[in-house]
Amino acid sequence: IVAVGALLNLARAADRSHAILTAISNLDFAMEQMARTVRVGTFYYCSSGVQPVSNQTRDCTWGQGQGSLSFTSKDQERLVYKLNQTRGSLDRENLSSVPHKTFSITAPEIVVESLVFNVTGSSKFDAKQPKVLMRIKGHTAIAGLRAKDQVTFDLQTSVSERNPDL
């Protein structure tokens, strides 16, 4: 009986570990996809409000981070990454399409509580290479796991524009 109980606990622990690993892998994929898209983009605009459809730029330096970032993609589309506070997801919106297409890039098992962007050097005339700092905080919300078994995360990455600012 003791051995069977231990075996069942091991199986539950393996299931929990697998579920957490899957959720964190999704978050890692979302962060990497966002970084790749931003790296080859241009005309970064940092704001928590309305994002421009045109190629405007705006910095938000350290301590003045904002909750959304728009930029022009390599395909000349105006994209926005932002936090959907209702669902706790990281959303990508295409402002160039009519109607605007928005979809979540994180799985439902990931709850994003905070998303902050910092942008420096966004202007083509400031002689600085554009750089974007992204920080995501949240936790997992995996069905069947107790609250104490959920995992919190605080990820940060920095991306500089691939094309040099001349």
Side-chain angles (χ1 to χ4, degrees):
I1 292 175
V2 172
V4 169
L7 186 61
L8 289 175
N9 281 335
L10 279 173
R12 276 194 292 269
D15 289 345
R16 280 194 303 267
S17 295
H18 183 350
I20 290 169
L21 182 63
T22 301
I24 296 300
S25 292
N26 170 264
L27 179 64
D28 184 49
F29 177 77
M31 187 80 149
E32 183 59 32
Q33 185 267 337
M34 189 168 59
R36 266 184 310 208
T37 308
V38 169
R39 183 176 296 115
V40 295
T42 55
F43 300 106
Y44 305 107
Y45 190 94
C46 190
S47 171
S48 286
V50 176
Q51 296 290 336
V53 178
S54 63
N55 289 335
Q56 296 178 30
T57 63
R58 177 195 272 172
D59 285 357
C60 52
T61 56
W62 190 254
Q64 301 172 340
Q66 300 293 317
S68 62
L69 173 74
S70 67
F71 60 98
T72 302
S73 73
K74 67 179 178 70
D75 299 325
Q76 301 305 306
E77 294 177 315
R78 194 70 179 174
L79 302 178
V80 179
Y81 285 112
K82 62 185 176 181
L83 171 63
N84 182 323
Q85 293 181 342
T86 305
R87 290 194 320 252
S89 64
L90 177 59
D91 286 0
R92 175 179 163 163
E93 182 177 8
N94 186 341
L95 299 178
S96 299
S97 65
V98 178
H100 296 177
K101 295 179 184 174
T102 303
F103 62 93
S104 176
I105 63 170
T106 52
E109 294 83 17
I110 297 292
V111 177
V112 179
E113 298 164 355
S114 170
L115 174 66
V116 177
F117 293 99
N118 295 101
V119 176
T120 57
S122 64
S123 173
K124 294 289 182 189
F125 308 107
D126 62 6
K128 293 180 184 177
Q129 186 66 14
K131 189 187 308 184
V132 178
L133 177 75
M134 301 178 272
R135 186 171 184 187
I136 300 175
K137 292 182 184 181
H139 64 277
T140 58
I142 302 166
L145 288 187
R146 298 176 296 196
K148 71 177 192 171
D149 292 333
Q150 302 293 345
V151 175
T152 60
F153 55 84
D154 186 350
L155 297 174
Q156 178 176 305
T157 191
S158 182
V159 178
S160 63
E161 183 180 325
R162 180 171 284 171
N163 295 324
D165 221 5
L166 303 173

